[in-house]
Amino acid sequence: MSKYMLIMRGTDETNAAMMASIDEAMAATGRFIEEMMEAGVLVAAEGLDDPGRGVVVDFSGEAPVVTDGPYGETRELFGGYFLLDVATKQEAVEWATRMPAVRGSQIEVRRVAEADEVPPGSESNGRS
């Protein structure tokens, strides 16, 4: 079994559409979560708060710069995720296609790397 993350991506417009029918969206998402739990594939699921309440830490310069939200372009917002433990990428994709998503939003499917896939000598996690 491998873990796959289904990353929910939206825009200001798709988020507004979802909020317009939030009760329906939450009910449909609840049913989807129950299906994944019954199938034994759901590891975790979390939604994220409004991006206007977040911050961005930018490492482009000499020192990190912290900017309060809302930040930059919001054409593609990371709205949350589902973490699944499934046999294949195709199975993760099949679950992603069943997600009750708003028209115009996207689901990115990415495999979670296993600990033994981290290159030797990278124990510092990229920190110097």
Side-chain angles (χ1 to χ4, degrees):
M1 299 292 273
S2 293
K3 289 188 179 113
Y4 283 86
M5 185 174 277
L6 310 184
I7 303 168
M8 300 179 295
R9 295 195 180 276
T11 62
D12 288 334
E13 293 78 23
T14 61
N15 287 349
M18 183 186 68
M19 293 307 289
S21 59
I22 191 66
D23 291 336
E24 292 174 32
M26 294 302 291
T29 301
R31 289 189 297 273
F32 182 63
I33 288 171
E34 292 218 6
E35 289 175 26
M36 290 187 291
M37 288 173 60
E38 289 172 7
V41 300
L42 184 64
V43 175
E46 299 287 342
L48 297 178
D49 195 8
D50 183 313
R53 296 182 188 157
V55 299
V56 171
V57 180
D58 185 346
F59 292 89
S60 298
E62 287 290 318
V65 175
V66 178
T67 306
D68 288 329
Y71 50 87
E73 306 252 349
T74 56
R75 291 184 301 212
E76 289 189 15
L77 298 171
F78 175 15
Y81 70 92
F82 294 91
L83 184 60
L84 308 182
D85 194 1
V86 294
T88 65
K89 178 177 165 182
Q90 184 56 38
E91 185 178 355
V93 170
E94 288 169 11
W95 280 107
T97 63
R98 296 172 57 188
M99 187 172 297
V102 174
R103 181 181 294 276
S105 60
Q106 298 178 336
I107 305 298
E108 180 180 344
V109 178
R110 307 239 338 242
R111 188 176 67 79
V112 176
E114 299 290 328
D116 63 348
E117 294 178 286
V118 176
S122 61
E123 290 82 20
S124 67
N125 256 350
R127 296 182 196 122
S128 358

